[in-house]
């Protein structure tokens, strides 16, 4: 990496610099400098290198010392002195000299007297000669600020014996020798030296507070003086050196700041004078470059690069103005018309070409490779040429570009390659580094890959634009001297192959130079793995030698280190000796991209991509010069020739309107071909590649693989695919079919876009030829078919004549596997007619398939099949339509396809398959066939596909004469048994010999018990088939009905179930199939609740019947069946009763024991056997409505020719009725017993009519509108038979109660007064009652030990009504036939009708007996059940006040509101 140095000049009259030089160098470079400018942000300089040079007087002293020593270096030093003197001459334009930023004067440690007598005067003279504007504040010219510097006095103290006498030559001893000896006699004249440094500071430092300290002192120890080793043990020594370093930093930055300010002022002034007379861009360039070099010298590379970018932009603008003659007339900016180097290269190439054409030896080719030195800024005195206005545009742009690249490489921590003999004489050395980066030492600092990527990007822009400049430069340099340079035609076009060779050689060398400069070890870790894999995919072949090669007249160039290569061109006329080949192993692109990468560095992808672009440019340059000089083609440039296509011929025409005759003459005139010569090719690699076709292809392969590896690492997938395509074509051209086919296979889907259709067609054609050469019949047929399809899309392509579709069909018969190709690529139209037709004498349907065959050959399709799928998302089904042996001709074909399977519903086309031989054309939107998308074919998105197919819907429907299937629930439902569904199969017009019914559950948790199925029609025999869920049936005559009852069970409660019923049947016309999905409501439409009331000798049950759905019910009848132990009596129904959601029906039943309450001893303790059953006959109103409406429509439709549409219309009518009828509508219908049918538009008939032929749909539409008008209201009473009733059997279990108590409160005789059958008593009067308890056990089993059963009764009252006295609660035991009596006394607490107290009886367990004695409440025993029949439940007693008469006075004058009690008498006197 280049580093800039700041020049610093020193004056050493005492000759002491040699003692401190090593110590000073050890403290360099200066580090961590911070420059703060008023016009720029703060800049930090990490390190600053210093170039210490002696001034003229010090250099003269060194010359004298060298002369005295007899070293023989007088001439050399004198020359250096002359150079130094020359540098002091100032140019009128600033920025051309390297002047010091700081001048240092070294003073030896002497005593005060010597200082006063000699040293002070010398310092004053030196300061007077070298003081700057900033130091003496005098008025000077602006130009001096461009070379501004600071000065510094360094006082050096030396150890004993070192000093003036010890170090200075005797011939130049200064001052009195005695004084010198005296001062040298002291080892450390500390007192004297301190006085001297103070004197120096006093004499030469400013007195103001802002004055700069320009005096410092350093001490040199013995080790530093003798061995140059820095000594940091002494504190004074370290402090002195630190002070010197600090002053160096501050003074250098101060002078640098002055220079920058002056440069910026001058540049701004020059820019404002751009449009003034005499303005010259070259002078402005040198001035601004001086500022840039100043930035570079102090390490501010970014600022320097920014200045060069601005200069490059300004230069391009000036060049454009010059070339377009738009520059201001008063400007003096001029460029040389041509470049001498290019002119000499052309002249030398002409000479070599002339010698070669004369048959002489042209080995003395002295042409230089100009492109290899584009980064060398010292190959010419560019700055002098710029100032002389004698620089060409090519050199000017090249110089600016080289300076930009050098700064970028410095920022990237990379070295700037210089022109070398190896690079000029052997271009391969530079190219080899271009894609095989040389590893750097492990301790080298890492490169900045992003900066290197910027170098590549800048270089690409420069190289591509410079080629046009080179052509113009050569044209300008040779137009005057060589009149034959231009052709004699009027177009003036350049047709000199040598010029193009010079341009190509320069471009190739420039790319190699940039690739070498940007090679990075960290990038090679990423690029090398895929590059090695690519190199290992080549084949090792043996190439036949030509006669000249066998004689040794042509030496094979040593282009690269020996490696395996497949690029051995096989000439058709050459005879090959037997050779051994290794099978190609082509690494897929995905594998290359997934190789384990090295440690990723920031910017490696950007750098790899840009280097790949440079390699691609080199590859294009090689391909262009090979075609121009040798007519060789490689890659896609020769693809048309190898694939059987021809290049389009281009004609040059004159578009001007000067003369019609001129245009006609140009039409019949062809320009001569470029001169077939390699002269002008100075790059050795290009020369070697052009010696033989094999060398050319080898180099082309290497460049392609290197570019591919870089593109893959740089994540440039598309460019990597382009390189892979070139490799594939390259292997195809050398007839390596295996490797070519592998590469073509990777690119199968890359060039599918319509913009690449021609390229994709060519690749498919070559791929098919490779597979044919490899005898891979299956893949050959598949690829050839794709080539045919792509050729149809590419109207301008001409495929090889070997591809014939019928030949491919014949070849496919020899393979066992099927070859599927997309149908859309060969048929422009493929659609199914949207309306079906039924066969006249059998079930099934048919329609037409419309196909437009695009090839120009007839062929016979062995089968055509179309699969349609239903649009029902819940129940997916598919049907295949087929046609056998159809002949297809170019253009439109209508093929009839049909099916014997009927699954009613809406369908769309899902797949079309046409088979010819083993080739199958398939229309399938699945991803597998979408991947075979060919060039020019646009894939439809899923939403577009759905919208397209929805517009081509197909309705499948049954006629009234076809086989019909219906599924319903069994009419009888017994809750104690398994439920069943009923399958009804109507044969229609079919004479069925035998068939099979397959039933599958479509609801989760539904299980169909096929084994328990039975026929409900006696004349039909059914058998359970071996296949699960299948039932075989015997023959069915036309219009015969088969009804099968099939049990089912559910794992969970659901409201409805769905089953799939498939009927496969055989008639004289063949085998047919009918599939339908049926939804059956399995939820009970009614709900039954029961409430039981026990009496001593009877049980009364109240059954509440309500609706469980939104549909009302009609209860036709109810029956209660006895069992062996009990008789039942149900309240009879006089007529049908309607049950609504808010109006249930109550049925009361009386249950008595057949033994009239007496239970034999043998039956005591036994469970009652047998179950009672409640049968309820009902009819659902919604089903009644459906049946009534359908019956009305069928009766009227049978009178018309439209009877065959009965099934499809009935299905839509039921769907509309279920949707339109709400619970409110059903309640209204139940009350009025009539159905308001509604309008035509409310039933969605148009959706169904869309699937019918337009003529049939119009006729049906007219009839339906008429029917809706005639049947606006349909009565239900007249068609009740259309909806059969259903029966629900509810099992009734008798509740088991062990003991039933009968409790009665009877007043004692005479205790109550009865008035109008109402018991009355007076308030405050006590009411004595007798509580009697009886029990029975006929409603349950024996409870076990009767003696151990104890009960507890409690008289409970409402607070504030009665006070209870007597035996309010008591415990008693249960004994058979025992009647208990207890006395109770009631005392009313208020008047009115008071309810008698309630009697609560509870069981007392054994553990509660002791607790009862303690006053605790008893607990109940859950194993014993009992009921209490309280006879006096809800009886009341009227309590009246105890008064017989009352006298009340009413007087308005009274103070008590005019009323007071006068007198009252009790009832008892």
């Amino acid at each position: 990496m280049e580093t800039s140095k700041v020049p610093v000049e020193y004056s050493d009259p005492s000759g002491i610099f040699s003692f401190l030089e090593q110590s000073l160098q050890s403290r360099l470079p200066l580090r961590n400098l911070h420059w703060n400018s008023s016009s720029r942000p703060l800049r930090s300089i990490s390190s600053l290198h210093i170039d210490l040079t002696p001034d003229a007087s010090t250099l003269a002293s060194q010359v004298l010392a060298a002369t005295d020593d007899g070293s023989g270096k007088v001439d050399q030093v004198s020359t250096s002195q002359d150079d130094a003197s020359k540098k002091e001459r100032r140019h009128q334009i600033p920025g051309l000299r390297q002047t010091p930023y700081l001048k240092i004067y070294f003073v030896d440690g002497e005593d005060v007297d010597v200082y006063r007598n000699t040293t002070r005067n010398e310092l004053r003279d030196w300061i007077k000669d070298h003081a700057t504007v900033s130091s003496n504040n005098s008025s000077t010219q602006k130009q001096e600020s461009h070379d501004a510097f600071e000065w510094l006095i360094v006082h050096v103290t030396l150890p004993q014996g070192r000093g003036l006498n010890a170090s200075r030559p005797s011939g130049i001893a200064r001052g009195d020798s005695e004084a010198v000896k005296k001062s040298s006699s002291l080892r450390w004249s500390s007192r004297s030296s301190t006085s001297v440094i103070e004197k120096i500071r006093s004499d030469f430092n400013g007195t103001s507070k802002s004055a700069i300290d320009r005096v410092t002192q350093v001490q040199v120890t013995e080790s530093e003086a003798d061995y140059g080793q820095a000594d940091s043990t002494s504190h004074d020594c370290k402090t002195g050196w630190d002070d010197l370093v600090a002053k160096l930093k501050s003074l250098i930055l101060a002078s640098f700041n002055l220079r920058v300010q002056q440069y910026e002022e001058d540049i701004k002034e020059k820019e404002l004078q751009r449009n003034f007379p005499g303005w010259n861009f070259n002078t402005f360039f040198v001035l601004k470059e001086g500022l840039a070099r100043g930035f570079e010298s102090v390490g501010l590379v970014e600022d320097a690069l920014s200045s060069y970018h601005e200069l490059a932009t300004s230069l391009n603008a000036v060049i454009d103005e010059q070339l377009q003659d738009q520059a201001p007339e008063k400007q003096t900016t001029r460029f040389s018309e041509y470049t001498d180097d290019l002119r000499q290269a052309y002249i030398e190439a002409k000479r070599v070409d002339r010698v070669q054409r004369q048959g002489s030896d042209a080995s003395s080719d002295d042409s230089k490779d100009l492109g290899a030195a584009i980064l060398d800024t010292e190959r010419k005195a560019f700055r002098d040429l710029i100032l002389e206005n004698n620089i060409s545009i090519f050199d000017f742009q090249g110089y600016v570009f080289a300076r930009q690249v050098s700064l970028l490489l410095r920022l990237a921590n990379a070295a700037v390659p210089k022109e070398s003999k190896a690079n000029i004489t052997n271009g391969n050395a530079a190219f080899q580094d271009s894609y095989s980066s040389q590893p750097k030492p492990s301790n080298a600092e890492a490169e900045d890959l992003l900066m290197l990527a910027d170098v590549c990007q800048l270089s690409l822009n420069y190289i591509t634009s410079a080629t046009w400049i080179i052509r113009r430069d050569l044209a300008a340099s040779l137009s005057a001297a060589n009149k034959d340079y231009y052709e004699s035609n009027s177009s003036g076009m350049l047709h000199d192959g040598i010029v193009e060779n010079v341009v190509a050689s320069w471009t190739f060398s420039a790319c190699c130079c940039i690739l070498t400069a940007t090679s990075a070890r960290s990038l090679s870790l990423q690029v090398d793995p895929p590059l090695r894999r690519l190199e290992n995919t080549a084949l090792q072949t043996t190439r036949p030698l030509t006669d000249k090669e066998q004689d040794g007249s042509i030496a094979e160039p040593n282009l690269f280190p020996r490696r395996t290569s497949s690029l051995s061109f096989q000439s058709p006329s050459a005879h090959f000796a037997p050779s051994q080949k290794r099978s190609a192993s082509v690494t897929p692109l995905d594998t290359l991209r997934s190789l384990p990468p090295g440690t990723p560095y920031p910017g490696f992808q950007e750098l790899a991509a840009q280097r790949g672009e440079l390699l691609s440019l080199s590859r294009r340059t090689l391909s262009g010069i090979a075609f121009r000089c040798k007519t060789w083609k490689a890659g896609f440039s020769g693809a048309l020739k190898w694939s059987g296509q021809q290049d389009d011929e281009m004609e040059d025409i004159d578009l001007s309107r000067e003369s019609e005759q001129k245009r006609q003459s140009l039409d019949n005139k062809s320009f001569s071909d470029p001169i077939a010569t390699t002269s002008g090719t100075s790059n050795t690699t290009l020369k070697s590649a052009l010696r033989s076709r094999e060398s050319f292809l080898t180099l082309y392969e290497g460049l392609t693989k290197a570019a591919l590896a870089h593109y893959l690492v740089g994540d440039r997938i598309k460019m990597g695919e382009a390189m892979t395509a070139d490799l594939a074509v390259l292997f195809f051209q050398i007839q390596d079919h295996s490797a070519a086919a592998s590469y073509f296979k990777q690119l199968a889907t890359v060039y599918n876009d319509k913009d690449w259709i021609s390229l994709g067609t060519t690749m498919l054609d070559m791929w098919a030829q490779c597979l044919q050469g490899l005898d891979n019949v299956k893949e050959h047929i598949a690829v050839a078919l794709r080539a045919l399809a792509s050729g149809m899309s590419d109207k301008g392509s001409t495929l090889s004549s070997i591809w014939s579709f019928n030949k491919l069909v014949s070849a496919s018969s020899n393979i066992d596997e099927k070859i599927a190709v997309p149908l859309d690529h060969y048929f422009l139209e493929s659609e199914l007619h949207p309306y079906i037709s039924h066969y006249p004498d059998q079930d099934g349907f048919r329609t037409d398939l419309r196909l437009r065959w695009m090839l120009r050959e007839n062929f016979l399709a062995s089968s055509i099949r179309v699969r349609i799928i239903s649009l029902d998302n819940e129940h997916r089904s598919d049907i295949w339509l087929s046609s056998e042996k159809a002949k297809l001709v170019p253009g439109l074909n209508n093929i009839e396809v049909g099916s014997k399977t009927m699954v009613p519903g809406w369908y769309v086309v899902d797949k079309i398959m046409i088979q010819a031989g083993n080739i199958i054309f398939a229309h399938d939107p699945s991803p597998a066939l979408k991947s075979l998308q060919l060039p020019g074919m646009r894939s439809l998105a899923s939403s577009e596909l759905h919208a397209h197919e929805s517009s081509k819907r197909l309705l499948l429907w049954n006629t009234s004469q076809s086989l019909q299937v219906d599924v319903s629930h069994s009419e009888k439902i017994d809750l104690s048994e398994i439920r069943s569904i009923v399958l009804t199969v109507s044969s229609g017009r079919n004479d069925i010999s035998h068939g099979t019914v397959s039933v599958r559950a479509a609801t989760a948790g539904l299980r169909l018990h096929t084994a328990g199925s039975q026929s409900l029609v006696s004349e039909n025999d059914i058998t359970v088939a071996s296949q699960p869920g299948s039932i075989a049936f015997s023959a069915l005559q036309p219009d015969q009905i088969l009804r099968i009852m099939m049990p089912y069970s559910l794992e969970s409660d659901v409201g409805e179930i769905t089953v799939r019923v498939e009927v496969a049947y055989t008639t004289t016309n063949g085998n047919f199939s009918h599939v339908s999905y049926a939804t059956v409501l399995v939820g009970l439409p009614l709900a039954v609740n029961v409430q039981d009331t026990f009496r001593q000798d009877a049980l009364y049950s109240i059954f509440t019947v309500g609706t469980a759905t939104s549909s009302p019910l009609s209860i036709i009848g109810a029956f209660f069946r006895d069992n062996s132990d009990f008789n039942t009596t149900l309240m009879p129904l006089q007529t049908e009763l309607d049950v609504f959601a808010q109006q249930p029906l109550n049925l009361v039943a009386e249950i008595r024991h057949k033994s009239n309450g007496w239970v034999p001893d043998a039956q005591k303790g036994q469970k009652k056997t047998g179950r009672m059953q409640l049968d309820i006959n009902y009819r659902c109103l919604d089903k009644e409505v459906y049946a009534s409406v359908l019956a009305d429509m069928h009766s009227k439709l049978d009178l018309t020719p439209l009877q065959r549409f009965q099934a499809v219309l009935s299905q839509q009518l039921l769907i509309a009725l279920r949707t339109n009828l709400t619970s409110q509508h059903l309640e209204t219908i139940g009350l009025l017993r009539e159905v308001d049918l509604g309008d035509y538009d409310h039933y969605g008939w148009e959706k169904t009519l869309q699937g019918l032929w337009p003529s049939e749909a119009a006729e049906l539409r007219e009839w339906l509108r008429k029917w809706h008008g005639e049947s606006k209201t349909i009565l239900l009473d007249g068609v009740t038979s259309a909806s059969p009733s259903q029966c629900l059997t509810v099992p009734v279990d008798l509740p088991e109660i062990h003991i039933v108590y009968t409790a009665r409160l009877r007043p004692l005789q005479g205790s109550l007064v009865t008035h109008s059958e109402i018991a009355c008593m007076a308030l405050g009067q006590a009411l004595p009652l007798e509580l009697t308890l009886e029990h029975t056990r006929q409603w349950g089993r024996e409870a076990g030990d009767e003696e151990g059963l104890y009960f507890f009764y409690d008289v409970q009252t409402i607070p504030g009504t009665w006070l209870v006295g007597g035996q309010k609660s008591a415990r008693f035991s249960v004994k058979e036939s025992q009647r208990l009596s207890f006395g109770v006394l009631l005392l009313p607490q208020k008047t009115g009708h008071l309810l008698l107290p309630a009697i609560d009886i509870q069981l007392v367990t054994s553990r509660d007996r002791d607790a009862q004695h303690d006053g605790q409440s008893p607990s109940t025993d859950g194993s014993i059940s009992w009921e209490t029949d309280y006879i006096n439940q809800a009886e009341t007693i009227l309590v009246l006040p105890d008064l017989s008469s009352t006298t009340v006075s009413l007087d308005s004058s009274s103070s008590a509101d005019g009323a007071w009690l006068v007198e009252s008498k009790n009832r008892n006197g």
Side-chain angles (χ1 to χ4, degrees), residues 98-292:
Q98 286 291 337
T99 57
Y101 282 70
L102 178 64
K103 295 184 178 182
I104 304 176
Y105 191 93
F106 291 101
V107 179
D108 194 3
E110 302 170 350
D111 58 12
V112 178
D113 296 334
V114 174
Y115 169 75
R116 289 175 178 174
N117 296 331
T118 59
T119 305
R120 180 163 52 189
N121 295 330
E122 292 177 355
L123 281 173
R124 286 175 177 172
D125 294 339
W126 180 81
I127 292 174
K128 182 180 180 179
D129 294 337
H130 299 91
T132 62
V133 177
S134 59
S135 61
N136 54 23
N137 295 324
S138 62
S139 176
T140 59
Q141 299 292 332
K142 286 184 179 180
Q143 190 174 4
E144 294 181 354
S145 297
H146 291 288
D147 299 330
F149 63 90
E150 294 289 347
W151 54 272
L152 178 66
I153 300 175
V154 180
H155 181 257
V156 182
T157 59
L158 298 175
Q160 184 179 6
R162 313 297 174 89
L164 183 62
N165 294 335
S167 60
R168 178 181 293 179
S170 60
I172 60 170
R174 174 172 53 84
D176 188 8
S177 60
E178 294 297 331
V180 172
K181 291 181 181 179
K182 181 179 180 181
S183 63
S184 301
S185 61
L186 299 176
R187 177 175 180 82
W188 292 102
S189 42
S190 176
R191 179 179 178 182
S192 175
S193 63
T194 303
S195 300
V196 169
I197 188 64
E198 291 177 353
K199 288 293 184 181
I200 295 175
R201 286 195 174 103
S202 175
D203 293 338
F204 299 103
N205 268 345
T207 57
S208 64
K209 294 183 179 179
S210 61
I212 301 175
D213 185 7
R214 304 180 186 276
V215 179
T216 186
Q217 174 180 295
V218 294
Q219 295 182 1
V220 179
T221 62
E222 290 282 354
S223 60
E224 291 176 335
D226 295 337
Y227 308 105
Q229 298 178 356
D231 186 5
S232 59
T233 57
S234 174
H235 176 72
D236 295 338
C237 179
K238 183 177 183 302
T239 302
W241 282 108
D242 292 343
D243 184 59
L244 174 60
V245 171
K247 285 183 169 56
L248 290 176
K249 292 180 181 180
S250 61
L251 294 176
I252 289 176
L253 290 179
S255 58
F256 172 72
N257 190 44
L258 289 174
R259 294 188 181 197
V260 170
Q261 290 179 359
Q262 188 60 49
Y263 269 112
E264 289 178 343
E265 292 177 3
D266 293 348
I267 290 171
K268 184 178 181 180
E269 181 181 356
K270 290 293 184 182
E271 286 181 345
L272 295 176
Q273 298 174 358
R274 180 180 292 269
N275 296 323
F276 288 1
W279 189 86
N280 189 294
F281 174 78
N282 296 344
T283 304
F284 172 77
F285 178 87
V286 173
L287 178 62
K288 193 165 185 177
E289 190 190 19
L291 176 62

Side-chain angles (χ1 to χ4, degrees), residues 389-654:
N389 287 334
N390 194 27
I391 190 170
S392 65
I393 295 176
F394 175 71
D395 278 345
F396 208 153
Q397 288 184 331
Y399 171 71
V400 175
F401 166 74
R403 291 294 299 141
Q404 288 175 299
V405 172
S406 64
L407 294 176
L408 285 171
L409 291 176
R410 181 175 175 182
L411 290 174
N413 192 30
V416 180
K418 299 295 183 180
E419 180 184 11
S420 62
K421 182 178 181 180
N423 287 18
I424 297 177
T425 59
N426 185 9
N428 176 58
F431 173 70
Q432 183 177 356
D433 291 338
S434 67
Y435 71 93
S436 180
S437 303
Q438 298 295 329
K440 294 189 176 182
S442 59
N443 58 352
E445 190 175 352
E447 304 94 338
D448 188 342
L449 302 186
L450 286 174
M451 285 296 176
L452 293 180
D454 292 341
V455 172
C456 294
Q457 179 63 43
L458 181 66
S459 303
L460 278 171
N461 297 335
Y462 168 70
I463 293 174
T464 53
S465 63
T467 54
W468 180 81
I469 297 296
I470 294 175
R471 292 186 180 93
R472 182 186 177 281
D473 197 304
L474 288 174
S477 63
L478 302 175
S479 59
N482 299 326
K483 299 297 183 181
D484 58 345
Y485 183 72
Y486 289 97
E487 297 292 339
S488 59
N489 57 61
S490 60
S491 63
M493 295 180 62
L494 184 62
H495 285 277
D496 196 332
I498 296 179
V499 173
E500 296 302 322
N501 292 347
V502 172
V503 173
S505 179
W506 182 87
T507 302
F508 193 87
S509 299
C511 291
C512 294
C513 181
I514 299 301
L515 288 168
T516 304
T518 56
S519 62
R521 180 175 181 271
S522 55
L523 181 63
S524 66
L525 299 177
Q526 311 288 334
V527 177
D528 287 347
L531 186 59
R532 284 195 297 267
R533 293 291 292 270
L534 288 171
E535 294 294 343
N536 293 335
T537 61
L539 293 175
Q540 182 66 40
T541 61
T542 303
R543 184 183 63 86
L545 299 178
T546 61
D547 295 337
K548 291 185 178 181
E549 290 174 338
Q550 292 175 357
D551 296 339
S553 58
I554 296 180
E556 185 68 20
N558 184 16
L559 295 178
F560 302 100
R562 286 299 178 185
R563 60 181 177 87
T564 59
S565 175
S566 63
L567 299 178
S568 299
F569 178 72
Q570 301 176 2
S571 175
S573 61
H575 299 282
F576 288 85
S579 61
Q580 300 294 330
K581 295 184 178 181
R582 293 186 291 109
S583 60
S585 176
V586 176
T587 305
L589 289 180
D590 293 337
T591 304
L592 291 176
R593 286 195 291 265
S594 62
L595 288 176
T599 303
Y601 290 87
F604 78 94
Q605 287 187 336
E606 290 80 359
L607 177 58
Q610 295 300 329
R611 284 172 59 85
E613 294 292 337
L614 285 171
L615 288 167
S616 296
L617 179 59
S618 303
R619 193 177 66 102
R620 292 196 299 270
T621 304
L622 171 64
S623 177
I625 195 173
F627 176 73
R628 187 169 52 253
C629 298
K630 301 291 185 179
T631 65
W632 295 337
K633 291 184 178 181
F636 266 105
S637 60
L640 298 179
K641 172 183 176 182
W642 289 95
S643 64
Q645 303 184 40
Q646 301 296 328
D647 295 328
D648 294 335
E649 295 183 358
M650 305 294 292
E651 294 182 355
D652 294 312
I653 61 174
D654 186 8

Side-chain angles (χ1 to χ4, degrees), residues 48 51 60 65 86 162 237 370 411 826 996 1231 1394 1451 1463:
L48 181 63
D51 183 17
K86 187 183 298 184
R162 313 297 174 89
C237 179
L370 300 179
L411 290 174
Y826 307 89
T996 303
L1231 294 173
L1394 303 182
D1451 187 0
E1463 180 184 11

Side-chain angles (χ1 to χ4, degrees), residues 22-82:
Q22 294 298 327
S23 298
L24 181 59
Q25 292 293 342
S26 65
R27 291 169 172 83
L28 298 179
L30 303 177
R31 299 188 182 278
N32 299 326
L33 290 84
H34 303 285
W35 174 55
N36 191 5
S37 174
S38 59
S39 60
R40 296 174 182 269
L42 178 66
R43 295 286 193 269
S44 297
I45 305 173
S46 59
S47 61
L48 181 63
H49 295 264
I50 293 179
D51 183 17
L52 290 169
T53 57
D55 61 358
S57 60
T58 304
L59 191 61
S61 301
Q62 294 176 356
V63 170
L64 294 178
T67 304
D68 292 344
D69 294 341
S71 60
K73 299 181 180 178
V74 178
D75 295 337
Q76 181 178 0
V77 177
S78 299
T79 304
S80 301
Q81 182 178 0
D82 294 339

Side-chain angles (χ1 to χ4, degrees), residues 1295-1312:
E1296 185 173 327
I1297 300 297
H1298 295 93
I1299 302 174
V1300 177
Y1301 283 98
T1302 302
R1304 179 180 291 109
L1305 282 175
R1306 295 185 302 179
L1308 295 179
Q1309 186 175 5
S1311 59
L1312 287 177

